[in-house]
Amino acid sequence: MNKFLAILFCLVCFSVANAQDDLMKMLEEESAADYETEKVLATFKGTAVINAQTIQTVKKNTLEFNIAHRFGDMDISNKKGSNLGGHTLYGLENASNIRFSLTYGITDKLSVGLGRSKMNEHVDGNLKVRFLEQKESGLPISAAYFTSAAVSFVADVSGNKFENRLSYAHQIIIASKITRGISLEVLPTFVHRNYVDQTIIHPTNASVDENDIFAIGVAGRFKITKRMAFVFDYFHTFSKFRDSDNGYYDAIGAGIEIETGGHVFHINVTNSAGLIANDIIPSTTSDWGRGEYKLGFNISRVFSF
Amino acid sequence: MKKITFLTLFLCTIVGYGQGIYKVVGGDISFFSETPMENIDAVNDKVKGLIKPATGDLAFMATNVGFHFEKPLMEEHFNENYMESDKYKVSSFKGKIIEKIDYSVDGNYKVTVKGTLNIHGVEKNRVIAGEVIILDGNISVKTVFDIQVKDHKIDIPKLVVKNIAETIKVTVNLNFELKK
C-alpha cells in the first residue's frame, strides 16, 4: 500500500515538474514558424569590402564617415634591378589614392553618400538600396542596387565640356551569408564614361577604349574571430581594350577587417588605386606580378542621430 | 483501498482543473545597462508566454533579434557578438509561482517565482520576486531582476568593458488572457 502511494506521489511530482517544460514546449512550437522568416543579420560589415561595395546599407538616421587610403606600390618583387620598393618605404611614402566620404541612411534599406577621391579628383554621389533580404530559411540571398555618379575636377578635359567629366556606375549586389562565418557576394557591374580617349590603340588587337564597360565582381568575408575577419574581392572587366598586353589588370584585393565598437577598420593589399567603381573598373593598371600592389586601409565610424 | 480511490479522484481533479492556460496578449521585456560611458536600453514587445494558474507554472520567451535598441549598431553588436542570436535564438524563463493565489479574486499579489532562466544558451536557476495582478479575470505579471553578464557566459571584450555594465537590469511586464 505504502509503496503504491509512494509511486503515485512520485508521479504527481513528476507531472508537476514537467508542466513548466510542457508550457515551454507549447511556446516553442508556436514560435517555430517565426524563426524561419527571420532575416539574416550582418552579412558584411561596413559599406565596402576593399574594392567592392558590400550588401550593407547604412541604417536609418545613421551617418557613416569613411576614410579610405591606398599607399603607393610596394614594388617588392620588382626585378628591374634596383630595390625600388626600398626607396619609398614599400609605397608607404606615396599615396595612390585617398577618399573621404559620408553616407547617410534615409531608411534601413536606402542610403545615400558623397565622396571625394584623389584619383581623377572624382567627387561622387552614390545611392544604395537593398531590395531583397535573406531569411533564416527561405530566401537564400540578399540583393541591393548600387549606383554612383562621379564628376572629375581635373584641370583639363577634352573640349572643356562639363559632360566630359561625368561617369556612372551601376551595380547589382547579390549576397549570401552561407554560414555564421562565411559570406559571399557577386557584383555584376556596368560603368559608363561620357568621354574616353579613342586615339590610343591597343598594341596587339587594335581595339580602342570603350565608353561602356561591363565587369563582374566577387567578394567574400570569412570570420576568424567574433570581431575579426579575412576579406577579399576580385573584379574581372570584360573589355577587349583592357588586357595585360595593354597594361590593364583585374582588380584584386585581400585584407583583414577588425571591428571595434563604433569603428570598422580594414587593412588590405590591392593592385587597384581606384576607390570607386568609376575608377576601379576602367583604370586598374597595376600588375600584382610586378609587385604593383599597395597597402591600404579603410576606417569607418558611424554616428547615430 | 478507499485511500486509492480518494487519491485517484484527487489527481483527476488536479488534471481537470489544470486545463485553463493563460496566454500573453501584450506587454514587453526590457533591459538596461548603465555605465558612466553610456546607457544602453532595449525593448522587446513580442514576448510569448503562458501561465497555468492551477499549478502556478509559467513560461515566457523572447527572441533575441526582437530586442530593439536606440542605435542600430548596438542592436547589431547585441545580436552578432554578445547574444550570438543566430545560435541562441531566444531568451526564456520557465518556473513556478511558489505562493498559492486565488486567481478568481482581483488584487495585487506579491509572489516568488522559482525557475530556470536561459540566456545565451546558459541555464541558471533563479528565485525571482515579482507581482501578480488579477483584474477582471485577466492576469498581469511584473518583475524586475538583475542578470550578471558573466553568469551567462556573455563575453565582453576589454575594449568596451567601460560601455557595458556587468549587471543588467531586466524589467518584465506581461499581460495574460485566457487561451481559447
Side-chain angles (χ1 to χ4, degrees):
Chain A
M1 193 66 204
N2 275 344
K3 219 184 238 174
F4 186 70
L5 276 178
I7 292 167
L8 253 175
F9 183 70
C10 281
L11 270 174
V12 173
C13 289
F14 185 68
S15 70
V16 168
N18 248 350
Q20 301 160 15
D21 292 328
D22 288 348
L23 290 183
M24 209 60 196
K25 216 172 277 170
M26 285 167 76
L27 287 178
E28 275 161 9
E29 279 163 16
E30 218 175 287
S31 314
D34 291 357
Y35 304 153
E36 291 181 3
T37 56
E38 247 169 42
K39 60 183 182 192
V40 169
L41 298 161
T43 308
F44 278 86
K45 289 277 167 186
T47 52
V49 188
I50 297 153
N51 297 315
Q53 285 289 319
T54 69
I55 187 77
Q56 305 300 132
T57 52
V58 174
K59 294 278 156 55
K60 190 179 179 180
N61 293 340
T62 300
L63 184 70
E64 183 192 79
F65 176 53
N66 193 81
I67 305 168
H69 189 111
R70 300 289 179 267
F71 290 102
D73 289 340
M74 284 182 164
D75 282 327
I76 290 170
S77 58
N78 198 308
K79 293 192 185 91
K80 279 173 199 158
S82 62
N83 175 12
L84 270 177
H87 289 295
T88 61
L89 197 64
Y90 304 98
L92 292 182
E93 289 164 353
N94 293 334
S96 309
N97 201 355
I98 303 163
R99 179 172 179 261
F100 297 98
S101 61
L102 288 168
T103 310
Y104 183 74
I106 295 168
T107 71
D108 280 348
K109 294 183 178 193
L110 172 69
S111 49
V112 290
L114 193 66
R116 207 275 186 191
S117 307
K118 181 185 173 209
M119 189 174 184
N120 291 328
E121 294 178 51
H122 264 148
V123 171
D124 64 287
N126 58 65
L127 177 149
K128 195 192 282 182
V129 56
R130 186 164 174 161
F131 57 88
L132 284 180
E133 294 274 3
Q134 185 181 355
K135 300 282 158 60
E136 287 281 326
S137 49
L139 191 67
I141 55 154
S142 296
Y145 166 69
F146 173 80
T147 182
S148 86
V151 186
S152 170
F153 283 93
V154 292
D156 292 311
V157 290
S158 176
N160 203 18
K161 285 185 193 152
F162 179 72
E163 53 264 41
N164 288 350
R165 297 178 180 273
L166 298 174
S167 64
Y168 307 89
H170 303 273
Q171 221 160 30
I172 297 287
I173 307 162
I174 301 159
S176 183
K177 193 170 186 173
I178 316 259
T179 67
R180 298 187 68 213
I182 303 175
S183 301
L184 297 175
E185 57 178 32
V186 179
L187 309 97
T189 306
F190 175 79
V191 173
H192 172 84
R193 291 170 301 156
N194 272 3
Y195 173 76
V196 293
D197 184 354
Q198 292 184 323
T199 61
I200 302 163
I201 296 162
H202 190 287
T204 55
N205 65 21
S207 61
V208 290
D209 204 355
E210 306 104 331
N211 292 87
D212 296 334
I213 306 169
F214 181 72
I216 192 144
V218 287
R221 175 172 181 256
F222 304 86
K223 274 174 94 170
I224 303 164
T225 69
K226 265 189 207 171
R227 289 170 186 81
M228 205 190 272
F230 168 77
V231 289
F232 83 92
D233 56 27
Y234 170 76
F235 277 94
H236 177 70
T237 305
F238 299 96
S239 161
K240 209 178 169 191
F241 185 72
R242 286 177 171 69
D243 61 17
S244 54
D245 288 344
N246 199 21
Y248 286 97
Y249 300 89
D250 288 346
I252 304 170
I256 296 290
E257 173 189 275
I258 303 156
E259 195 190 15
T260 62
H263 297 85
V264 178
F265 188 74
H266 282 198
I267 306 170
N268 50 49
V269 181
T270 174
N271 62 329
S272 162
L275 285 164
I276 53 175
N278 310 46
D279 287 325
I280 296 162
I281 305 302
S283 315
T284 299
T285 53
S286 300
D287 179 10
W288 272 83
R290 280 189 287 146
E292 291 170 347
Y293 40 84
K294 322 155 204 319
L295 192 70
F297 62 80
N298 286 8
I299 303 170
S300 87
R301 165 83 210 184
V302 298
F303 304 93
S304 289
F305 299 106
Chain B
M1 206 59 208
K2 246 183 197 169
K3 262 185 191 163
I4 299 170
T5 324
F6 175 71
L7 255 169
T8 319
L9 271 171
F10 181 64
L11 273 174
C12 287
T13 330
I14 289 180
V15 173
Y17 188 46
Q19 291 309 313
I21 293 175
Y22 285 70
K23 185 185 167 183
V24 166
V25 289
D28 54 46
I29 295 179
S30 60
F31 68 80
F32 184 60
S33 152
E34 187 180 18
T35 62
M37 290 291 285
E38 65 181 338
N39 293 338
I40 301 167
D41 58 306
V43 186
N44 186 330
D45 58 7
K46 301 217 165 37
V47 182
K48 293 208 154 94
L50 295 170
I51 192 164
K52 201 170 174 181
T55 55
D57 286 312
L58 94 145
F60 56 84
M61 65 182 208
T63 60
N64 293 329
V65 292
F67 282 94
H68 295 303
F69 293 69
E70 182 198 346
K71 294 183 183 177
L73 198 64
M74 285 178 176
E75 197 166 311
E76 185 170 316
H77 290 159
F78 171 77
N79 286 305
E80 211 197 0
N81 299 335
Y82 302 110
M83 297 305 273
E84 301 177 79
S85 303
D86 45 358
K87 211 161 147 191
Y88 310 110
K89 295 201 177 299
V90 294
S91 295
S92 67
F93 180 84
K94 58 180 182 196
K96 198 177 173 66
I97 299 169
I98 294 167
E99 291 83 358
K100 284 275 162 272
I101 312 171
D102 187 348
Y103 288 86
S104 60
V105 181
D106 283 3
N108 292 18
Y109 303 91
K110 294 254 180 273
V111 295
T112 324
V113 184
K114 192 164 180 263
T116 318
L117 181 67
N118 186 335
I119 295 171
H120 192 234
V122 180
E123 291 199 335
K124 206 83 196 149
N125 290 327
R126 298 285 302 258
V127 177
I128 294 163
E131 198 179 350
V132 173
I133 299 150
I134 316 283
L135 187 68
D136 300 331
N138 295 325
I139 304 171
S140 298
V141 172
K142 280 178 201 244
T143 177
V144 178
F145 60 92
D146 285 340
I147 293 169
Q148 302 296 321
V149 171
K150 64 171 187 292
D151 281 356
H152 291 276
K153 298 202 168 71
I154 298 167
D155 176 38
I156 297 172
K158 276 205 189 83
L159 200 73
V160 292
V161 93
K162 283 187 180 141
N163 298 63
I164 299 169
E166 283 171 38
T167 305
I168 309 286
K169 191 170 95 174
V170 178
T171 307
V172 180
N173 215 329
L174 299 174
N175 306 318
F176 296 78
E177 261 176 29
L178 188 63
K179 198 181 171 193
K180 277 146 207 154

